[in-house]
Amino acid sequence: MVGLFEMKKAAEVRDTKHVILKNALQLFLKKGYRAVTYQDLMKKTGLSKGAIYHHFASKDELLEGVFGFLLDTTRQPAVESPEDCVTDRETFRELFVRGKLAQIQGFKKITHTRSLKVNRLLFFLEAINENDGLKQSIEELMQEEKMFLVKCFTGLQKHNRLPPGKDPALLAECLFWMLQGSEMRLFVSDDYNLEADCINGYNKTIDDFFAITGCL
Amino acid sequence: MVGLFEMKKAAEVRDTKHVILKNALQLFLKKGYRAVTYQDLMKKTGLSKGAIYHHFASKDELLEGVFGFLLDTTRQPAVESPEDCVTDRETFRELFVRGKLAQIQGFKKITHTRSLKVNRLLFFLEAINENDGLKQSIEELMQEEKMFLVKCFTGLQKHNRLPPGKDPALLAECLFWMLQGSEMRLFVSDDYNLEADCINGYNKTIDDFFAITGCL
Amino acid sequence: MVGLFEMKKAAEVRDTKHVILKNALQLFLKKGYRAVTYQDLMKKTGLSKGAIYHHFASKDELLEGVFGFLLDTTRQPAVESPEDCVTDRETFRELFVRGKLAQIQGFKKITHTRSLKVNRLLFFLEAINENDGLKQSIEELMQEEKMFLVKCFTGLQKHNRLPPGKDPALLAECLFWMLQGSEMRLFVSDDYNLEADCINGYNKTIDDFFAITGCL
Amino acid sequence: MVGLFEMKKAAEVRDTKHVILKNALQLFLKKGYRAVTYQDLMKKTGLSKGAIYHHFASKDELLEGVFGFLLDTTRQPAVESPEDCVTDRETFRELFVRGKLAQIQGFKKITHTRSLKVNRLLFFLEAINENDGLKQSIEELMQEEKMFLVKCFTGLQKHNRLPPGKDPALLAECLFWMLQGSEMRLFVSDDYNLEADCINGYNKTIDDFFAITGCL
DNA sequence: AATGAATGAGCGTTCATTCAT
DNA sequence: AATGAATGAACGCTCATTCAT
């Protein structure tokens, strides 16, 4: 039967591509993009150079593929109307942390890694430097996350959880940068347990933020 | 007797070393550490490979030298007792921004550059990755800056500028990460005027922070 | 019984082979033998690598096939007894040019190309270098053409068109090399219109030759 | 003494460069430009890849260097006023053949080779194909040679060695192409003794040409 | 007959480093 | 202190070829 045959072949192709992407991502995160060589890729994937080139015509194309792969596996599905779901600190925290957790778990599933060290940032910056398209993706990703926070704080305002006169948009932006900054801490620290440390970090940042701003 | 001749020679040595450090720093910031080759260094310094190797035995040693050079030229002299000088938002802002401005100007003096793009971060992360000693330096630097902020907020508390019940240490830490995060924005943005954009960024972050926390 | 089905299959085979030969020839003439890759061949033929290898077991075998194909399509049918047909310069010119024209048109039919630049020569020399069999073919071809010219000049002599005492064989050989040489001019020139420039070139060479030798 | 020292160093550099050029030329003539690899060059020169790249930044630059080297070593000094020296066939032949002989001997001195096969032509055509600058050089070279012949035939005309009504420029051009063509014969033939076969070839071509045109 | 995934040798080139001068 | 010729390992990439399907 033709159908089955072709499906099998297509699956194998996807498999090899997937093997390359997964292993390349792990290497890129561990050593940075430039530092990873085809030698490394060959050893890690068990494939020949030619096979990798058969699927990705250049290292840059591989970078794009890996980046897309990382975003696909990592991006949580957009939450519908956070401005309605979020009614207080706990619902906000739950929503936010749940999303991050899903991201981290997707990430762990493909990298089989517990630690990141500085290298996710390094990989991102190299990507930005090498490839203008990827730079855009990263900026869009940041914008998206900021908008999500604005909606959350709009929800909190609707339920009178903000101190009088506080602008939800301003609060959202401040929290966004604080989260960015404190995420850097993870990368600088030696090593960390992804789930525990990361989630704890997010929780602490949210608690601190609510404490210093007087949100409830 | 250390004659004039020896002094002249010593001065020349320091000169050549300085020429190498300055130009290497500019290149590292522009392209990242790994991407800079001895070819680049030769063209920029006008020296031969051998001359550079004469002063720095390897690329890694050069990296350390350049990093130390960057810190030396950049680090502002510690302010004595900020907890006494800082009495309100304006004295805090003035003190903080003055320090940053001094940093930026020292930086400009050696790099002759107005823009940084993403590459300061890239350079730092590469440095962290390549060389454990440098990683420590960076962490110490961050710790130092955090302590400075704690002292400032202690000063503010002494003058009743904090809302009741707010912990100066917590406020300092939150502002620290927010500043880190918002600095990232600069690196992601295409290009920026160091003095104007940077200082504006710091001012805006401080204003926002005082606005959302209710500090005066 | 050789059914319709088998005939159809045989025709298809010949078709595919023909497609490969035709396109390979065009590529070889355009870029030279060594410079043409299977990548190029795939793109031009629309076939897969495997398909090409199915019909030609190696690149060298393909070269032989293409060369034979070029000769087959290009070689004009031998003129019977030129020593009888050629009675003066005009009959000679007509006979010679008609043959060349047939060659060129056969060539155009398979290559769909108006220009050759240096590459026919390049292709021939590469062929000679790579494959001893092909070298022989080329030498035979040249010998054949020389003999044809000898017969023509014999015809001219029979009709008293040669100055007294001139050896038809010597005249033929001289014209042959002059034609070879002046053909080189075409390859060195940037580009040329096959029919017009080529035929004009032959006509001019013949005229010049008759002028300097005093043949009629 | 500084002068001697620097002269020695300069001589060594020139030596290495010369070694590379000489060996590269031999290889290019033997196998063609594309077919020669750095592997070949390393083996033949006894130098490392890096050393070759130190002197020639790319294969194309090496090609240019080799080509210039070939022309330099090969080009005979321009004869002054051939229109005066050439008075009859023998003075013409002597002048022409002497120049060619000098060329061949210069060539032998650098290549230590007796045979060329097809490859000088192949090398030239590849050079034309790869590098537009070289194409120009070759065309200029041909033009130069043609002009030289025109001057020779002008000399012959001045001494009444041409049949009445024969144009010296036309005769020169015809002979030029005949020489080109008959040189091709050498390249197609298996192998040949440079001095003997080449010079014999030129002599024969000249004799034949004088015979068929009636020049004296 | 035809596909295209996979191989592995080898390509031109770059690089940090060494060393005689 | 400084030069720059030379090294050799490794780089990203291309190629003709094989083979299971």
Side-chain angles (χ1 to χ4, degrees):
Chain A
M1 187 179 143
V2 171
L4 206 63
F5 177 63
E6 278 168 2
M7 277 177 65
K8 184 146 167 282
K9 270 177 73 174
E12 272 167 16
V13 172
R14 226 185 19 245
D15 272 6
T16 302
K17 246 186 149 131
H18 188 262
V19 164
I20 296 171
L21 288 171
K22 188 176 123 179
N23 287 289
L25 175 58
Q26 291 179 34
L27 286 171
F28 287 167
L29 289 171
K30 193 168 163 201
K31 309 175 62 173
Y33 169 72
R34 278 189 99 103
V36 171
T37 71
Y38 275 84
Q39 191 85 329
D40 298 328
L41 288 166
M42 284 165 70
K43 200 182 294 177
K44 192 136 213 303
T45 58
L47 292 163
S48 67
K49 242 181 242 202
I52 302 173
Y53 270 95
H54 184 72
H55 291 281
F56 299 94
S58 68
K59 210 183 167 191
D60 186 72
E61 197 167 286
L62 179 59
L63 172 62
E64 287 178 19
V66 167
F67 210 89
F69 177 63
L70 172 63
L71 292 193
D72 284 353
T73 331
T74 259
R75 194 185 316 234
Q76 73 262 57
V79 178
E80 323 159 19
S81 53
E83 58 272 45
D84 296 331
C85 324
V86 172
T87 57
D88 57 4
R89 176 166 57 167
E90 289 319 307
T91 47
F92 168 61
R93 189 218 303 282
E94 207 211 346
L95 190 63
F96 183 82
V97 167
R98 198 189 333 132
K100 285 289 175 187
L101 202 56
Q103 244 180 56
I104 291 171
Q105 279 163 350
F107 183 76
K108 277 180 64 173
K109 213 159 68 191
I110 52 172
T111 60
H112 299 294
T113 245
R114 275 184 44 258
S115 73
L116 283 176
K117 297 179 48 186
V118 293
N119 297 296
R120 187 175 93 174
L121 247 182
L122 176 57
F123 174 46
F124 273 40
L125 290 176
E126 284 185 306
I128 288 174
N129 250 19
E130 301 270 342
N131 187 304
D132 277 346
L134 297 186
K135 186 177 168 171
Q136 280 222 325
S137 302
I138 292 174
E139 283 177 4
E140 282 167 26
L141 208 65
M142 289 175 76
Q143 205 52 42
E144 214 169 89
E145 189 161 332
K146 217 187 279 186
M147 284 318 299
F148 167 73
L149 288 177
V150 171
K151 285 182 193 152
C152 291
F153 276 90
T154 306
L156 288 171
Q157 188 184 37
K158 285 202 290 193
H159 293 83
N160 300 315
R161 300 295 178 176
L162 306 189
K166 296 275 160 85
D167 175 16
L170 181 59
L171 286 163
E173 182 160 357
C174 288
L175 179 54
F176 175 76
W177 291 118
M178 217 173 117
L179 284 161
Q180 290 296 326
S182 64
E183 197 160 325
M184 246 182 77
R185 180 180 36 181
L186 291 175
F187 300 132
V188 173
S189 81
D190 243 346
D191 210 10
Y192 63 95
N193 179 290
L194 263 180
E195 255 138 330
D197 292 350
C198 232
I199 296 307
N200 282 349
Y202 289 127
N203 273 324
K204 178 172 181 339
T205 302
I206 291 172
D207 282 343
D208 288 351
F209 189 79
F210 275 72
I212 63 169
T213 55
C215 300
L216 305 171
Chain B
M1 182 185 141
V2 176
L4 207 63
F5 178 63
E6 276 80 17
M7 278 178 65
K8 185 153 165 280
K9 272 179 68 177
E12 271 168 15
V13 173
R14 226 183 21 244
D15 272 8
T16 303
K17 240 182 153 132
H18 188 262
V19 164
I20 297 171
L21 286 171
K22 188 176 121 178
N23 288 289
L25 174 58
Q26 290 179 34
L27 285 171
F28 287 169
L29 289 171
K30 195 169 160 200
K31 309 174 63 173
Y33 168 70
R34 281 191 99 100
V36 172
T37 71
Y38 276 84
Q39 186 87 327
D40 298 328
L41 288 166
M42 286 167 68
K43 200 183 295 175
K44 194 134 212 303
T45 59
L47 293 162
S48 68
K49 261 180 214 190
I52 302 172
Y53 268 95
H54 185 75
H55 290 281
F56 300 92
S58 68
K59 213 184 166 191
D60 187 71
E61 197 167 288
L62 179 59
L63 172 63
E64 287 177 19
V66 166
F67 211 89
F69 177 64
L70 172 63
L71 292 193
D72 285 353
T73 331
T74 259
R75 188 177 333 225
Q76 72 263 56
V79 177
E80 322 159 20
S81 53
E83 56 273 45
D84 296 331
C85 324
V86 170
T87 58
D88 58 3
R89 175 166 58 167
E90 289 319 305
T91 47
F92 168 62
R93 191 216 304 280
E94 207 209 347
L95 189 63
F96 182 84
V97 167
R98 191 176 352 120
K100 286 288 176 189
L101 202 55
Q103 242 179 57
I104 291 170
Q105 279 163 350
F107 183 76
K108 276 180 66 172
K109 212 159 68 191
I110 52 171
T111 59
H112 300 292
T113 245
R114 276 184 44 259
S115 72
L116 284 176
K117 294 179 51 183
V118 291
N119 297 296
R120 187 175 93 175
L121 246 182
L122 177 57
F123 174 46
F124 273 40
L125 293 176
E126 283 184 306
I128 289 173
N129 246 22
E130 302 269 343
N131 186 305
D132 276 346
L134 298 185
K135 185 176 169 175
Q136 281 221 324
S137 303
I138 292 174
E139 282 177 3
E140 281 167 26
L141 207 66
M142 289 175 78
Q143 204 52 41
E144 216 169 86
E145 189 161 332
K146 218 187 276 184
M147 284 318 299
F148 167 75
L149 288 178
V150 171
K151 287 182 191 153
C152 291
F153 276 91
T154 305
L156 289 170
Q157 189 184 36
K158 285 203 289 192
H159 293 84
N160 299 315
R161 299 296 178 176
L162 306 189
K166 295 276 160 88
D167 175 16
L170 181 59
L171 286 164
E173 181 160 357
C174 288
L175 179 55
F176 175 76
W177 291 118
M178 214 173 119
L179 284 161
Q180 290 297 326
S182 66
E183 198 160 323
M184 247 182 75
R185 178 181 36 180
L186 292 175
F187 299 132
V188 174
S189 83
D190 245 345
D191 208 12
Y192 63 95
N193 179 290
L194 263 182
E195 255 139 329
D197 292 349
C198 233
I199 296 306
N200 282 349
Y202 291 127
N203 273 324
K204 178 171 182 336
T205 302
I206 290 173
D207 282 343
D208 288 352
F209 188 77
F210 275 72
I212 62 168
T213 56
C215 300
L216 304 171
Chain C
M1 180 185 144
V2 176
L4 207 60
F5 179 64
E6 276 80 17
M7 280 177 64
K8 184 150 165 283
K9 270 178 70 177
E12 271 167 16
V13 172
R14 225 183 22 244
D15 272 6
T16 302
K17 237 180 157 137
H18 188 263
V19 165
I20 297 171
L21 287 171
K22 187 175 124 179
N23 287 290
L25 174 58
Q26 291 180 34
L27 285 171
F28 287 168
L29 289 171
K30 193 169 161 202
K31 309 175 63 173
Y33 169 71
R34 280 190 98 100
V36 171
T37 70
Y38 277 84
Q39 186 87 326
D40 298 327
L41 288 166
M42 284 166 70
K43 200 184 292 176
K44 193 132 213 304
T45 59
L47 292 163
S48 68
K49 261 180 214 191
I52 302 172
Y53 268 95
H54 185 76
H55 291 281
F56 301 93
S58 67
K59 212 184 166 191
D60 186 71
E61 196 165 291
L62 179 59
L63 172 63
E64 287 176 19
V66 166
F67 210 89
F69 177 62
L70 173 63
L71 293 193
D72 286 353
T73 332
T74 260
R75 190 180 326 231
Q76 72 264 57
V79 179
E80 322 158 19
S81 53
E83 58 272 45
D84 295 331
C85 324
V86 172
T87 58
D88 58 4
R89 175 164 61 166
E90 289 319 307
T91 46
F92 167 62
R93 191 218 303 281
E94 207 212 347
L95 190 62
F96 182 84
V97 167
R98 191 177 352 120
K100 285 288 175 187
L101 204 56
Q103 243 180 57
I104 290 170
Q105 279 163 349
F107 182 77
K108 277 182 65 175
K109 213 159 67 191
I110 53 172
T111 61
H112 299 293
T113 244
R114 276 183 44 259
S115 73
L116 283 176
K117 296 178 50 184
V118 293
N119 298 296
R120 189 177 91 176
L121 246 182
L122 176 57
F123 174 47
F124 273 41
L125 293 176
E126 283 185 306
I128 288 173
N129 246 21
E130 302 270 343
N131 188 303
D132 276 345
L134 298 185
K135 186 177 167 174
Q136 281 222 325
S137 303
I138 292 173
E139 282 176 6
E140 282 167 26
L141 206 64
M142 288 173 77
Q143 205 51 43
E144 213 169 272
E145 189 161 331
K146 218 186 279 185
M147 285 317 300
F148 167 73
L149 288 178
V150 172
K151 286 183 193 153
C152 290
F153 276 91
T154 305
L156 288 171
Q157 188 184 40
K158 285 202 289 190
H159 294 82
N160 300 316
R161 300 296 177 173
L162 306 189
K166 296 275 160 87
D167 176 16
L170 182 59
L171 287 164
E173 182 159 358
C174 289
L175 179 55
F176 175 76
W177 291 118
M178 216 174 119
L179 285 160
Q180 290 296 327
S182 64
E183 197 160 324
M184 248 182 75
R185 181 181 35 182
L186 292 174
F187 299 132
V188 174
S189 81
D190 246 345
D191 210 11
Y192 63 96
N193 179 290
L194 263 181
E195 254 137 329
D197 292 349
C198 236
I199 296 307
N200 282 349
Y202 290 127
N203 274 324
K204 179 172 181 337
T205 301
I206 290 173
D207 283 342
D208 287 351
F209 188 77
F210 275 71
I212 63 169
T213 55
C215 301
L216 305 172
Chain D
M1 190 178 137
V2 172
L4 205 66
F5 175 64
E6 279 169 1
M7 278 176 63
K8 185 149 167 279
K9 270 181 71 177
E12 272 167 16
V13 172
R14 224 183 21 243
D15 272 7
T16 303
K17 248 187 147 128
H18 188 262
V19 164
I20 296 171
L21 287 172
K22 188 176 121 179
N23 287 289
L25 174 59
Q26 290 180 34
L27 286 170
F28 287 168
L29 288 171
K30 194 169 161 200
K31 308 175 63 173
Y33 169 71
R34 280 190 99 103
V36 171
T37 71
Y38 276 84
Q39 192 85 330
D40 297 329
L41 288 166
M42 286 166 69
K43 201 182 292 175
K44 193 136 211 306
T45 58
L47 292 162
S48 68
K49 246 181 235 203
I52 303 172
Y53 269 95
H54 185 72
H55 292 280
F56 300 93
S58 67
K59 211 184 168 190
D60 186 72
E61 198 168 285
L62 179 58
L63 172 63
E64 287 177 18
V66 167
F67 210 89
F69 176 63
L70 173 63
L71 292 193
D72 285 353
T73 331
T74 260
R75 191 184 322 231
Q76 72 263 55
V79 178
E80 323 159 19
S81 54
E83 57 273 46
D84 296 330
C85 323
V86 171
T87 58
D88 59 2
R89 175 167 57 167
E90 289 319 306
T91 47
F92 167 63
R93 191 216 304 280
E94 206 210 346
L95 189 64
F96 183 84
V97 166
R98 195 182 344 127
K100 286 288 175 189
L101 202 55
Q103 243 180 54
I104 290 170
Q105 279 162 350
F107 183 76
K108 276 180 67 173
K109 212 160 68 192
I110 52 172
T111 60
H112 300 293
T113 245
R114 276 184 43 260
S115 73
L116 283 175
K117 294 179 50 186
V118 291
N119 297 295
R120 187 173 94 174
L121 247 182
L122 176 56
F123 175 47
F124 274 40
L125 291 176
E126 283 184 306
I128 288 174
N129 249 20
E130 300 270 342
N131 186 305
D132 277 345
L134 298 186
K135 185 177 169 173
Q136 279 221 326
S137 302
I138 292 174
E139 283 177 4
E140 281 167 26
L141 208 65
M142 289 175 76
Q143 204 52 40
E144 218 169 86
E145 190 162 331
K146 219 187 277 185
M147 285 316 300
F148 167 73
L149 290 178
V150 171
K151 286 181 194 155
C152 291
F153 276 90
T154 306
L156 289 172
Q157 188 183 38
K158 283 203 289 191
H159 293 83
N160 300 314
R161 299 297 177 174
L162 307 189
K166 295 273 160 87
D167 176 15
L170 182 59
L171 286 163
E173 183 161 356
C174 288
L175 179 55
F176 175 77
W177 291 118
M178 216 174 119
L179 284 160
Q180 291 295 328
S182 65
E183 198 161 322
M184 246 182 76
R185 178 182 36 179
L186 292 174
F187 299 132
V188 175
S189 82
D190 241 345
D191 208 12
Y192 63 95
N193 179 290
L194 264 180
E195 256 138 329
D197 292 350
C198 232
I199 296 307
N200 282 349
Y202 290 127
N203 273 325
K204 177 169 184 339
T205 302
I206 291 172
D207 282 343
D208 288 352
F209 188 77
F210 274 71
I212 63 170
T213 56
C215 299
L216 304 173

